[in-house]
């Protein structure tokens, strides 16, 4: 429990909140339900519950206060700066939220006949149009539910292409060491084997090593551009050419698309397939596991294998193709999801795109890169940048600046929490030691960045002045102090039992 000297355990307005099961008392309720009457034993086939179900019994105010207090303990993009690299945590305009809540859109059912949901199909179709235009790619699969799901969808299309062309033996996938963990995971889920490609001393793909690994059993490469070190892969055209010469496809992880929207047409880089994290680049809320959306653009060659369902322009309006027989000779590899995709996310992304316009999108990527370079420039003398700048939309530091201070990247991050900041991404990418990856995004003001810079500079000075013990004790001002993460991972307590889990 947090250190405290108050009788209640509360610290001013920071209330020590018990679990919901620990409050209330038997029989209390916020609603009046008539007695259910006798239960027909026979119909339950002996499964009638013998003891109380153990749900918490609370009055309405108790319940409302409990959840409101929990929500106040939450830290989110609406409460403060969120410098997580690789995640693009930017402001979500309220206009997009308003559009997503329009009753005409929220009251739809996915089983409604297409002629009654023409507006919804138009949302899907216009968003698809924007994404194809921005990337310069001819086709798109709209249904993947997240970036990782889009990777899997793209890889399934690649696999289907190879199998269809008598090259089903192509099962090796080349993935750079700096890649996000979802890349090798998606490849493995697709039945491919993963072959890692090292990074060079400039933080980019070692092209010679990649070329040496290309061969007749390679299905595709998976390259992130800009990569997870926040750097543009300058030899991307050479990489694409060599990949195609070897009969393999170029899968681009598009999670960092925020850095280049409106400036780079993905098709011009020789990309065959790329997922777009709508919840990163096109400003829809994410975190805590979703929801997101990962529409995946496809080249001409891969287009016929795109999964069902998809929207087409028919004689009588927009139509949904749900079956291979109706797909006009295409060879969809199957479905990746029930229904048509994350519709609420589509609305937000389309509202964002339309309110920004193409000039606004270009401005956003420009400002995202400018903000990251501002951080890099103002922090470069106290932290240790891993690679020479300039960077793209995020800047990468390693822990050399903490050498001999006794402070680790983790301790430094905990110190940031006491200063009221969500830490940056730590220990990722794996290609540098003790990584600190910061992505400010375009939506932060100069004042916010200056204050953040001030905090980081002060913490770095404190670490260098020998305050290791202070850092080890952080966070000091949070409802819970530092957790024993090893213990939590090895012996997780996953179930509350009456009396058993009381906080010490
Ligand atoms: C976020 C991210 C992914 C995975 O996307 P999800 O939407 O979280 O599944 C893949 N690659 C990179 C580089 C990412 O940042």
């Amino acid at each position: 429990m947090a250190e405290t000297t108050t009788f209640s355990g509360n610290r001013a307005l920071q209330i020590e909140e018990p679990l919901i099961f620990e409050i209330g008392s038997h029989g209390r309720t916020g609603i009046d339900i008539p007695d259910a009457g006798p239960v027909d034993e026979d119909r339950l086939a002996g499964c009638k519950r013998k003891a109380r179900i153990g749900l918490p019994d609370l009055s309405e105010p108790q319940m409302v206060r409990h959840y409101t207090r929990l929500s106040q303990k939450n830290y989110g993009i609406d409460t403060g700066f969120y410098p997580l690299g690789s995640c693009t945590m930017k402001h979500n305009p309220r206009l997009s939220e308003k559009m997503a809540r329009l009753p005409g859109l929220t009251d739809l059912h996915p089983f409604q006949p297409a002629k009654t949901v023409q507006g919804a199909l138009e949302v899907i179709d216009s968003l698809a149009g924007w994404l194809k235009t921005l990337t310069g790619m001819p086709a798109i699969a709209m249904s993947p539910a997240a970036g990782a799901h889009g990777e899997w969808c793209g890889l399934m299309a690649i696999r289907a292409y190879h199998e269809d062309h008598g090259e089903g033996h192509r099962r090796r996938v080349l993935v750079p060491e700096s890649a996000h963990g979802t890349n090798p995971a998606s490849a493995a889920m697709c039945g491919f084997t993963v072959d890692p490609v090292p990074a060079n001393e400039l933080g980019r793909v070692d092209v010679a090593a990649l070329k040496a690994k290309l061969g007749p059993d390679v299905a595709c490469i998976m390259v992130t551009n800009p990569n997870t070190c926040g750097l543009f892969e300058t030899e991307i055209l050479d990489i694409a050419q060599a990949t195609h010469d070897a009969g393999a496809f170029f899968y681009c992880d598009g999670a960092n698309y925020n850095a280049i929207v409106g400036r780079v047409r993905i098709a011009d880089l020789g990309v065959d397939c790329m997922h777009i994290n709508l919840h990163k680049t096109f400003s829809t809320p994410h975190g805590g596991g979703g929801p997101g959306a990962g529409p995946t653009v496809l080249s001409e060659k891969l287009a016929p294998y795109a999964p069902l369902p998809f929207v087409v322009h028919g004689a009588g309006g927009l139509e949904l193709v749900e079956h291979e027989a109706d797909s006009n000779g295409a060879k969809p590899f199957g479905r990746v999801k029930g229904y048509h995709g994350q519709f609420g996310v589509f609305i937000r992304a389309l509202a964002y795109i339309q309110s920004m316009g193409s000039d606004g999108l270009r401005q956003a990527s420009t400002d995202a890169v400018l903000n990251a370079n501002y951080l890099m420039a103002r922090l470069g003398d106290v932290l240790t940048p891993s690679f020479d700048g300039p960077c793209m939309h995020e800047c990468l530091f390693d822990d050399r600046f903490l050498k001999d201070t006794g402070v680790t990247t983790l301790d430094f991050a905990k110190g940031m929490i006491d200063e009221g900041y969500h830490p940056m991404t730590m220990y990722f990418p794996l290609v540098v030691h003790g990584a600190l990856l910061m992505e400010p995004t375009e939506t932060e003001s100069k004042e916010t960045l200056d204050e953040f810079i001030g905090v980081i500079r002060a913490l770095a000075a404190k670490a260098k002045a020998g305050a290791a013990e202070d850092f080890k004790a952080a966070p000091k001002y949070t409802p819970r102090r530092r957790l024993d993460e090893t213990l939590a991972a090895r012996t997780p307590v996953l179930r509350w039992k009456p009396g058993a889990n009381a906080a010490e």
Side-chain angles (χ1 to χ4, degrees):
M1 200 202 273
E3 277 167 38
T4 175
T5 51
T6 60
F7 173 77
S8 56
N10 301 334
R11 291 193 291 164
L13 302 184
Q14 194 163 280
I15 310 260
E16 183 58 34
E17 190 66 22
L19 294 176
I20 196 161
F21 296 100
E22 294 166 335
I23 48 184
S25 68
H26 180 42
R28 182 172 299 157
T29 171
I31 43 165
D32 221 356
I33 320 180
D35 193 344
V39 177
D40 186 341
E41 304 280 345
D42 290 339
R43 282 177 56 203
L44 294 173
C47 295
K48 188 183 165 195
R49 181 172 280 280
K50 296 188 178 62
R52 272 170 41 82
I53 192 166
L55 292 177
D57 294 5
L58 306 175
S59 71
E60 185 171 304
Q62 282 180 307
M63 198 262 307
V64 169
R65 281 184 190 152
H66 176 73
Y67 285 109
T68 306
R69 284 173 185 161
L70 289 186
S71 78
Q72 289 167 338
K73 292 188 199 302
N74 211 359
Y75 188 93
I77 197 72
D78 288 343
T79 42
F81 180 45
Y82 219 108
L84 272 185
S86 219
C87 295
T88 310
M89 301 296 290
K90 59 188 184 186
H91 174 67
N92 304 301
R94 290 303 172 268
L95 177 66
S96 311
E97 292 300 318
K98 194 171 161 187
M99 294 301 114
R101 284 169 175 71
L102 288 177
L105 294 168
T106 54
D107 293 348
L108 298 175
H109 192 280
F111 284 160
Q112 270 178 253
K115 66 176 186 329
T116 68
V117 290
Q118 287 291 303
L121 297 184
E122 199 177 327
V123 166
I124 299 177
D125 192 55
S126 340
L127 179 60
W130 271 97
L131 299 177
K132 285 190 287 186
T133 305
L134 286 166
T135 55
M137 300 288 280
I140 188 164
M142 291 298 285
S143 49
H149 201 201
E151 292 167 19
W152 181 76
C153 167
L155 293 171
M156 285 296 285
I158 288 171
R159 193 177 124 166
Y161 177 95
H162 286 315
E163 282 173 358
D164 201 24
H165 288 76
E167 305 234 331
H169 58 275
R170 287 186 178 268
R171 284 293 166 97
R172 195 154 52 92
V173 172
L174 307 184
V175 183
E177 276 170 356
S178 63
H180 194 267
T182 51
N183 290 191
S186 301
M189 277 205 50
C190 227
F192 292 129
T193 54
V194 176
D195 192 356
V197 181
N200 64 21
E201 69 286 355
L202 302 173
R204 295 175 171 88
V205 174
D206 183 332
V207 182
L210 180 128
K211 285 182 178 170
K213 282 175 183 278
L214 282 167
D217 62 332
V218 172
C220 68
I221 60 164
M222 291 184 90
V223 173
T224 312
N225 196 23
N227 68 24
T228 59
C229 301
L231 302 170
F232 195 82
E233 291 287 352
T234 42
E235 293 176 90
I236 198 77
L237 293 175
D238 191 17
I239 292 174
Q241 185 67 49
T243 303
H244 291 151
D245 289 348
F249 286 103
F250 175 5
Y251 185 97
C252 182
D253 177 332
N256 293 338
Y257 191 37
N258 201 48
I260 54 175
V261 177
R263 304 192 73 84
V264 175
R265 285 182 355 132
I266 298 304
D268 297 342
L269 303 181
V271 169
D272 296 291
C273 188
M274 181 182 90
H275 72 263
I276 300 168
N277 306 62
L278 294 185
H279 48 291
K280 293 179 182 172
T281 309
F282 295 107
S283 195
T284 67
H286 66 292
T296 303
V297 288
L298 301 163
S299 64
E300 211 76 68
K301 274 187 172 175
L302 294 175
Y305 304 94
L308 296 163
F310 44 83
V311 178
V312 293
H313 292 252
L318 293 167
E319 290 166 12
L320 259 179
V321 176
E322 298 262 17
H323 305 284
E324 183 170 348
D326 305 328
S327 69
N328 208 6
K331 303 170 180 178
F333 70 74
R335 293 183 81 104
V336 300
K337 190 178 184 307
Y339 311 129
H340 323 306
Q342 305 279 57
F343 190 64
V345 177
F346 292 168
I347 302 166
R348 289 176 176 88
L350 182 62
Y352 173 74
I353 288 174
Q354 290 193 338
S355 58
M356 296 289 278
S358 50
D359 57 333
L361 293 175
R362 186 181 162 90
Q363 185 71 48
S365 56
T366 311
D367 290 349
V369 172
L370 181 66
N371 277 357
N373 277 287
Y374 183 63
L375 281 193
M376 180 83 133
R378 296 275 323 269
L379 293 175
D381 60 330
V382 291
L383 306 185
T384 33
S386 302
F387 302 105
D388 286 343
C391 60
M392 295 297 287
H393 63 305
E394 54 193 351
C395 47
L396 177 61
F397 304 96
D398 51 48
D399 61 3
R400 278 171 297 152
F401 76 102
L402 293 172
K403 191 168 184 293
D404 300 330
T405 61
V407 177
T408 63
T409 298
L410 180 72
D411 301 330
F412 194 82
K414 300 295 185 195
M416 286 170 72
I417 296 176
D418 274 342
E419 294 283 349
Y421 282 87
H422 191 288
M424 67 276 130
T425 293
M426 306 178 289
Y427 300 107
F428 175 80
L430 304 177
V431 291
V432 305
H433 197 267
L436 299 87
L437 181 63
M438 301 178 184
E439 178 179 359
T441 81
E442 72 283 1
T443 53
E444 297 303 339
S445 64
K446 180 166 181 299
E447 292 77 6
T448 302
L449 296 187
D450 284 339
E451 195 185 294
F452 176 72
I453 288 162
V455 164
I456 298 295
R457 293 189 72 90
L459 286 175
K462 190 169 138 185
K464 285 170 193 171
E469 277 185 23
D470 242 38
F471 277 96
K472 296 281 175 213
K476 296 189 206 107
Y477 307 126
T478 44
R480 286 292 177 277
R481 302 289 300 278
R482 195 177 303 201
L483 305 177
D484 184 338
E485 291 176 21
T486 314
L487 186 68
R490 300 233 166 109
T491 28
V493 180
L494 301 175
R495 190 173 159 220
W496 180 82
K497 291 188 207 124
N501 306 81
E504 302 82 314

